[in-house]
Amino acid sequence: MKKSILTSVLLLAGIVVMAQQPVITFSTTEHDFGKINESDGRVSTIFEFKNEGMEPLVLSNVKASCGCTTPTWTKTPVEPGETGSITVTYNPNGRPGHFQKKVTITSNATEPTTIVYIKGEVIPKQTKPADKYSVKMGDLSLKTTELQFGIIMKGSNTTRTLEYANETDHDITVDILRNSNDVFLTPLLSFKELKPGEAGSLNVNWDADKCGEWGVTSRNLYIIVNGKRVMTDEYKLTLTADIEEDFSTWTAQQQQQGAIAELTGDVNLGNVKAGGTLTQKVVLKNAGVNPLEVRKIVNSNPQMVQVSAQKTIVKGGKSTNLVISVNSKDLKPGVYRRQIDILTNDHKSPHRTLRVEWTVEE
């Protein structure tokens, strides 16, 4: 009986503590620009949010999934009951076709990670005949060397199209060379032989289920012109997609049984002499029921900071360690800060941010 009363008291205390934390709520988490003209330039939308908690709300970081999307946000603490905003600007220049981008918000709220989305379709600007196909790959002319697939949910696939033409005075042949391991990419050329003045299109389908990666990932295709099989930058196409899981389809039971990632957001590694190394372990706990999957660790500077998970599958109620190592070789004295993104199958916060700080001494 005493144990039951103690459990109830502790549970109530936990609820009270959570109620006192900041709570971030958005009036909407998705904005559709519809059809926009590439020639009109940048477009913006504002996501308004409210702090429905009991403590001031602070947004520590707002990060877009690619450089074409720029967020600006309320930097001052948002008091309980007050509102703030995030302005998201998209640059359509050189990006014709459909787009879908995400913006990840990190804060001190009860749910530390929130995601908002923008989408739309860019209508390409009218071009002069001379600059319609501005990229040259040998005798072949193309509109661009990049294909942006945006967000692709597991269980679905997306196709993007690239136009090309023969602007020479003789016949040419075209083919595609890809990595044999990239079975999730299906490229299809409308014409493999082009006479002078003829144009064609390359359709590339990206199957998210066949792709074994998560988060933002890139692949390359290479154009074979007149039988010239070379894997160099001159003949390279870059394909980029953001592979995500659609948690919005989960039932209430799936959510109750789901994995829950618990991770500190800030790590101070301490001081290190120039040329020395630092290593520290950070606990990643699964506070949920089903196994927690560490799907990807995004680290923009692996030469300076290395982060690895001792286990990538963590059972409910269990923990694993994230091992953080810093090499101060070639670093000048001073304070260094880096941000590491941890992608998991936590349906509430699939993107966790780990901020790492250390000081290099002389």
Side-chain angles (χ1 to χ4, degrees):
M1 182 67 178
K2 291 182 179 180
K3 183 177 180 181
S4 177
I5 295 174
L6 178 60
T7 301
S8 299
V9 170
L10 291 175
L11 180 61
L12 180 61
I15 293 173
V16 170
V17 170
M18 289 187 65
Q20 291 177 344
Q21 289 182 275
V23 177
I24 185 170
T25 59
F26 284 84
S27 55
T28 180
T29 57
E30 182 175 288
H31 178 77
D32 188 351
F33 285 105
K35 293 185 177 181
I36 59 176
N37 294 315
E38 180 184 359
S39 57
D40 291 341
R42 292 177 171 83
V43 291
S44 299
T45 187
I46 298 176
F47 291 94
E48 293 188 346
F49 61 87
K50 184 177 181 180
N51 180 7
E52 296 187 347
M54 302 287 288
E55 295 290 335
L57 171 68
V58 178
L59 273 58
S60 56
N61 192 31
V62 180
K63 183 179 179 182
S65 57
C66 80
C68 59
T69 306
T70 305
T72 58
W73 62 96
T74 301
K75 301 292 178 63
T76 56
V78 179
E79 298 297 326
E82 298 298 320
T83 60
S85 64
I86 300 171
T87 300
V88 180
T89 302
Y90 180 73
N91 182 4
N93 187 39
R95 299 178 177 89
H98 293 276
F99 68 89
Q100 185 177 22
K101 306 295 179 182
K102 70 179 179 182
V103 177
T104 303
I105 301 104
T106 305
S107 70
N108 64 333
T110 52
E111 292 190 13
T113 303
T114 311
I115 298 177
V116 297
Y117 299 89
I118 60 170
K119 63 181 181 179
E121 180 182 1
V122 178
I123 307 303
K125 58 186 175 184
Q126 297 296 320
T127 56
K128 300 176 183 178
D131 62 9
K132 184 176 181 180
Y133 299 96
S134 57
V135 179
K136 304 297 180 183
M137 290 186 176
D139 286 343
L140 185 68
S141 301
L142 305 92
K143 285 191 172 182
T144 183
T145 58
E146 296 183 1
L147 284 178
Q148 299 282 345
F149 286 77
I151 298 172
I152 310 177
M153 294 296 182
K154 284 289 186 180
S156 64
N157 60 81
T158 299
T159 299
R160 291 289 182 261
T161 301
L162 173 63
E163 297 180 19
Y164 58 88
N166 178 7
E167 295 184 324
T168 71
D169 57 0
H170 54 271
D171 295 352
I172 65 173
T173 61
V174 185
D175 210 340
I176 296 294
L177 179 64
R178 70 168 188 183
N179 189 314
S180 59
N181 293 325
D182 295 337
V183 295
F184 54 89
L185 294 177
T186 305
L188 181 63
L189 292 164
S190 61
F191 295 101
K192 291 190 175 183
E193 297 181 0
L194 295 175
K195 295 185 180 299
E198 287 188 334
S201 61
L202 166 64
N203 293 316
V204 183
N205 181 270
W206 191 312
D207 190 325
D209 270 357
K210 294 181 180 179
C211 179
E213 296 188 29
W214 293 93
V216 178
T217 183
S218 297
R219 287 295 188 273
N220 296 323
L221 293 178
Y222 293 88
I223 305 294
I224 303 172
V225 183
N226 294 329
K228 188 176 182 179
R229 300 171 64 91
V230 289
M231 299 178 70
T232 63
D233 288 347
E234 182 184 359
Y235 293 89
K236 181 174 72 176
L237 298 178
T238 300
L239 287 58
T240 305
D242 188 355
I243 311 300
E244 299 287 338
E245 182 170 358
D246 188 3
F247 295 109
S248 66
T249 62
W250 277 28
T251 65
Q253 183 178 4
Q254 285 178 306
Q255 294 179 22
Q256 291 173 358
Q257 298 293 313
I260 301 175
E262 289 188 350
L263 176 70
T264 179
D266 299 284
V267 177
N268 192 325
L269 301 178
N271 299 346
V272 62
K273 294 289 185 180
T277 59
L278 285 171
T279 300
Q280 185 170 320
K281 294 180 180 179
V282 176
V283 176
L284 172 63
K285 181 180 179 180
N286 179 8
V289 179
N290 289 333
L292 175 72
E293 301 174 14
V294 181
R295 290 175 167 171
K296 190 174 186 178
I297 298 177
V298 183
N299 178 10
S300 60
N301 197 329
Q303 291 77 28
M304 185 184 298
V305 184
Q306 295 84 42
V307 182
S308 61
Q310 290 183 329
K311 293 181 180 179
T312 56
I313 304 293
V314 185
K315 294 181 180 180
K318 301 296 183 179
S319 301
T320 188
N321 289 320
L322 299 178
V323 182
I324 307 171
S325 298
V326 169
N327 185 353
S328 66
K329 181 180 179 181
D330 300 326
L331 295 184
K332 296 179 180 179
V335 178
Y336 289 82
R337 299 180 180 89
R338 291 295 181 270
Q339 179 172 298
I340 309 297
D341 293 325
I342 315 296
L343 278 60
T344 73
N345 62 330
D346 180 341
H347 68 283
K348 290 186 177 180
S349 299
H351 295 257
R352 293 283 180 169
T353 299
L354 183 66
R355 288 173 293 274
V356 181
E357 178 180 319
W358 71 96
T359 301
V360 176
E361 301 176 335
E362 295 188 23

